[in-house]
Amino acid sequence: MELPAAMDWVSANFPADHRVLVLANHGAGVIDVAGGRAVGGRAAQPTRGILYDYTDNSFLNMQDFRLSCSNIAVARGQKTEVLVLDACSMAMIEVAY
């Protein structure tokens, strides 16, 4: 399930006035992971992002993450109030920018 679809499901099934988005998984922020370095016990390809899915070898890069957050804000008519990124290297100022 993609992030905006997941947020739509949550909003439909758990109505609330305020929302917190918590993303917990492996993360690489905006830094390319060196080829061969383990992420989650597996060799990583050069990537920048969060939410690595090893079942289909995908992840959410920073550009798609920004687009997803924008799509969620447009669909809900408001921005997410609190964003929690529980993943390595996601506290970089470049991620917030």
Side-chain angles (χ1 to χ4, degrees), residues 22-42:
V22 178
L23 303 176
N25 189 271
H26 300 291
V30 296
I31 297 174
D32 277 332
V33 178
R37 178 177 164 201
V39 174
R42 296 185 172 97

Side-chain angles (χ1 to χ4, degrees), residues 3-4 59-71:
L3 188 57
F59 67 99
L60 187 62
N61 66 35
M62 291 295 93
Q63 294 79 11
D64 289 341
F65 175 64
R66 181 177 182 200
L67 181 60
S68 292
C69 288
S70 294
N71 290 342

Side-chain angles (χ1 to χ4, degrees), residues 6 12 39 48 72:
V39 174
R48 299 174 178 164
I72 291 166

Side-chain angles (χ1 to χ4, degrees), residues 9-87:
W9 182 87
V10 168
S11 295
N13 289 284
F14 302 97
D17 293 330
H18 304 281
R19 296 272 178 217
V20 173
L21 176 59
V22 178
L23 303 176
N25 189 271
H26 300 291
V30 296
I31 297 174
D32 277 332
V33 178
R37 178 177 164 201
V39 174
R42 296 185 172 97
Q45 299 299 318
T47 58
R48 299 174 178 164
I50 190 171
L51 302 177
Y52 293 88
D53 181 354
Y54 296 110
T55 58
D56 66 359
N57 294 318
S58 66
F59 67 99
L60 187 62
N61 66 35
M62 291 295 93
Q63 294 79 11
D64 289 341
F65 175 64
R66 181 177 182 200
L67 181 60
S68 292
C69 288
S70 294
N71 290 342
I72 291 166
V74 168
R76 292 183 51 230
Q78 68 185 57
K79 294 181 180 180
T80 299
E81 295 170 84
V82 178
L83 173 63
V84 178
L85 298 172
D86 182 12

